[in-house]
Amino acid sequence: MNHASSALSGVFAPVVTPFKSDLSVDADLFVRHSRWLLSQGAGLAIFGTNSEANSLTVAERRQLLDRLISEGINPARMLPGTGCCALDDTVALTRHAVDAGCAGVLMLPPFYYKGVSDDGLYKYYADVIARVDSPKLRLYLYHIPAFTGVPITLNLIERLITDFPETVVGIKDSSGDWGNVAAMLKAFPGFAIFPASESFLSRARPLGAAGCISATANINPAGISKLCADWDKDNGAQLQQQADAVRQTFQKYPMIAALKFATAHYSDNPAWENVRPPLSGLHAQHKLQLLDELKQIGFGMPGLAG
């Protein structure tokens, strides 16, 4: 079964969402950051975990997507997150993304109830597909069990791609478990599998991985995109080492706060540090440590405008 003809590949950033001091969305800054990411070679996985998507309303997500498109940003480079706990919210966001011409949607499982069965999750995804009712829908599953507590098993993937081969075309694996990534790559050739960490790229790409959807693509889009494209070239090992150095630096800290602080620092725009409760910004001591560590590895965000 080969889904590759319609599936995405490359690097996508779960675009961080900027907020004003009153915690409303700063749509102008969101557009500018999205443009910068595209200019650096990354696609836009808007409304992902690191976008604080579950702190955004359905209306906010729709408005932001509409704004990007009205500013001339190509929806074929967008993979919006549409998975919610309420079936109708997921359907509304998914239908909106499909109608807007997005390349696909990245869909969390409904994540409030724990210990749910594969049968229940299958019914949820099948119902969304039936209600959206569009041959243009390209659905990418989102496996992030540390956050959801609701794993997407190989058995569930098998059932969905057997019954919806033209629709369920890929998955983002945020388990951080190489064994799970490798098992999916072996079991589902042609399925678009995106590990959530660029640290897996040199191992995953030779096995058929489509690319990665990584938090740190927000701040290192060019480096990760080059690694994804050139992992098998003479400089592949060096590119992997450089990407790992950035990744390892950021993952020592609360990721969203660290990404936003770095973006604020390198764009000289302190408004980027705003996060919606219950999240908090980076502690003062951590800011100093992070900047020092980034300086040591020669990190920068060229071309970024605040």
Side-chain angles (χ1 to χ4, degrees), residues 289-305:
Q289 288 173 7
L290 176 57
L291 286 180
D292 184 54
E293 290 167 7
L294 291 174
K295 190 176 179 182
Q296 287 176 33
I297 60 171
F299 177 79
M301 295 175 71
L304 184 68

Side-chain angles (χ1 to χ4, degrees), residues 109-251:
F111 48 83
Y112 181 77
Y113 298 107
K114 308 303 186 249
V116 295
S117 66
D118 278 358
D119 287 343
L121 291 173
Y122 175 90
K123 181 75 163 63
Y124 178 89
Y125 282 114
D127 277 8
V128 171
I129 292 165
R131 293 177 191 216
V132 172
D133 190 24
S134 172
K136 294 187 292 182
L137 173 59
R138 297 292 177 269
L139 194 161
Y140 294 75
L141 305 166
Y142 188 3
H143 175 60
I144 181 166
F147 277 55
T148 63
V150 181
I152 295 175
T153 65
L154 269 65
N155 177 59
L156 177 60
I157 297 168
E158 177 75 46
R159 289 175 65 183
L160 288 169
I161 64 178
T162 297
D163 291 353
F164 307 103
E166 300 302 315
T167 302
V168 180
V169 295
I171 189 167
K172 177 185 179 184
D173 185 344
S174 292
S175 66
D177 176 1
W178 170 250
N180 194 66
V181 174
M184 286 195 303
L185 287 165
K186 183 178 180 182
F188 309 118
F191 197 51
I193 296 168
F194 291 87
S197 173
E198 60 273 24
S199 295
F200 287 157
L201 275 174
S202 292
R203 282 187 283 174
R205 289 286 276 160
L207 301 178
C212 73
I213 303 172
S214 167
T216 37
N218 273 288
I219 48 83
N220 188 28
I224 300 172
S225 296
K226 189 158 180 55
L227 167 62
C228 189
D230 294 348
W231 60 272
D232 57 347
K233 305 286 195 304
D234 289 345
N235 62 339
Q238 183 186 11
L239 292 170
Q240 183 69 71
Q241 192 175 13
Q242 290 167 344
D244 287 350
V246 177
R247 177 89 190 184
Q248 288 159 11
T249 300
F250 275 89
Q251 63 189 18

